[in-house]
Amino acid sequence: MNLTQYSLLIQALRRQNYEKRPPVWFMRQAGRYLPAYRQLRARYSFLEMCHQPALIAEVTQLPIDILGVDGAILFADILLPLEAFGLGLQFHDSVGPVIERPLTPESNELPAVSMAEELAYVGEGIRELKKTLKVPLLGFAGAPFTVASYAIEGKTCRDWRKTKLWMLKDPTSFHRLLKTIATATIDYLNMQIDAGVDAIQIFDSWAHCLGAVQFREFSLAYMRLMIQALKSRGVPIILFCRGSSVFAGEMTAIGADAISIDWNADITKLRRWIPTAAVALQGNLDPDLLLAPPNKLLQEAAVILDGMYRDPGYIFNLGHGIHPETPVDTVKALVEFVKSR
Ligand code: CP3
């Protein structure tokens, strides 16, 4: 019997959490705000850490031991498939990710590679973790639109100009690119499921740069493709995008088990439009509140917790990832607050 199936997190993803409190975990809970993470990073580069199964397992486990959260998110990155495609991936401390050979409309071919083989080290990390981990393990991948935008822009950007101009001027080749990335990502996620993840989160972090029509055509359509391909595996799928407070209705309609809501929305109001019968909701505290005075933080957390009280399909989380400058003790206090409700 797999005990994680009876955990608060998996029950909430199935909209069947009848306990008093919701489960809690955080996006970027395994990152630089943790002194224990920074100590490891002093010895290894970020990519070295991503490539080594023993380190994947060690870092993934850190926030479980330090914070006592109800779920673990695999330590990896949404850009690892771009490295596997041979585009050249580096992480620079001040800049973030850099793609050495970005795609252009003129040179847009990605080689046929097996993600299950190229990223086998991720699967090994998952197997290592599953030997001892006491909470459910979330696997993840980037959604095709966001991964494509990194492949084109070459780094984190503000206006997505190259991506959007390609998309609008040559939609045929842009769709071909999205399809190739989607197929590879499905292969990658199937491998993660084979290795033992209990749930999956798909990150379309940059979808908020799209208007409604383009969102449907270039972002939502490929998330749907992925859900359709993975649904039969029986592992709950959470969709996250910046812009989810605007697009939540459409994200529900494509069959996600849960939607992770950005911090712009009043999640309680959103729940009135999108009932528990339709989808689980995750979110949505502004990560900046972890840098606010503690009483302000807990006051805002209480607004969300009160509004979602006893919703069997609710998971407490942030609207986006934890900032590196966040004090660990503040995050711990927030976890204790959620658990004491
Ligand atoms: O703790 C976790 O959430 C698990 C691991 C995780 C990382 N990246 C580790 C990481 C996850 C789920 C991601 C997803 C990811 N990566 C996204 C989608 C989520 C989002 O934030 O919208 C994106 C866009 C990326 C790409 C990426 N990776 C960026 C933009 C950066 C640099 C900026 C930053 O936040 O550090 C990274 C690096 C990265 N990914 C770090 C970690 C722990 C920091 C690396 C370091 O140690 O220097």
Side-chain angles (χ1 to χ4, degrees), residues 85-216:
F85 274 127
L87 299 188
L89 173 65
Q90 291 185 10
F91 284 84
H92 296 298
D93 281 345
S94 49
V95 195
V98 176
I99 303 299
E100 288 164 37
R101 293 172 290 283
L103 298 176
T104 63
E106 293 73 40
S107 73
N108 61 38
E109 289 301 317
L110 287 171
V113 291
S114 157
M115 288 295 153
E117 280 173 28
E118 292 292 326
L119 302 176
Y121 58 86
V122 175
E124 283 175 47
I126 294 169
R127 287 197 175 85
E128 191 60 35
L129 270 161
K130 290 300 287 180
K131 290 180 192 163
T132 50
L133 191 68
K134 298 284 192 302
V135 295
L137 178 61
L138 293 143
F140 72 90
F145 177 76
T146 292
V147 175
S149 76
Y150 271 104
I152 295 164
E153 304 288 344
K155 57 183 172 0
T156 304
C157 64
R158 282 178 192 281
D159 56 13
W160 297 275
R161 189 54 38 93
K162 289 182 190 145
T163 306
K164 290 180 81 172
L165 287 184
W166 179 347
M167 176 185 90
L168 296 169
K169 287 184 173 170
D170 188 358
T172 306
S173 72
F174 196 74
H175 273 302
R176 206 165 45 232
L177 174 61
L178 292 171
K179 184 78 198 298
T180 304
I181 295 174
T183 307
T185 311
I186 290 164
D187 180 30
Y188 179 37
L189 287 172
N190 266 318
M191 180 271 275
Q192 293 187 28
I193 296 171
D194 290 340
V197 297
D198 302 288
I200 280 170
Q201 180 151 319
I202 297 173
F203 289 91
D204 213 350
S205 303
W206 304 148
H208 65 309
C209 77
L210 297 173
V213 172
Q214 276 74 34
F215 172 75
R216 267 176 232 130

Side-chain angles (χ1 to χ4, degrees), residues 185 259 281 283:
T185 311
I259 298 170
L281 292 182

Side-chain angles (χ1 to χ4, degrees), residues 37-64:
Y37 175 87
R38 292 199 299 270
Q39 275 165 23
L40 280 168
R41 269 287 274 120
R43 288 162 51 202
Y44 307 97
S45 74
F46 175 63
L47 276 177
E48 276 170 347
M49 285 168 66
C50 288
H51 290 162
Q52 292 190 39
L55 289 173
I56 295 175
E58 186 176 348
V59 178
T60 304
Q61 180 76 44
L62 287 178
I64 316 309

Side-chain angles (χ1 to χ4, degrees), residues 27-32 37 41 46 73-79 91 93 96-97 140 150 156 203 205-206 240 320:
M27 288 182 262
R28 288 287 167 97
Q29 66 187 19
R32 281 166 300 175
Y37 175 87
R41 269 287 274 120
F46 175 63
I73 181 152
L74 182 68
F75 176 73
D77 199 88
I78 64 163
L79 302 180
F91 284 84
D93 281 345
F140 72 90
Y150 271 104
T156 304
F203 289 91
S205 303
W206 304 148
F240 166 80
H320 202 184

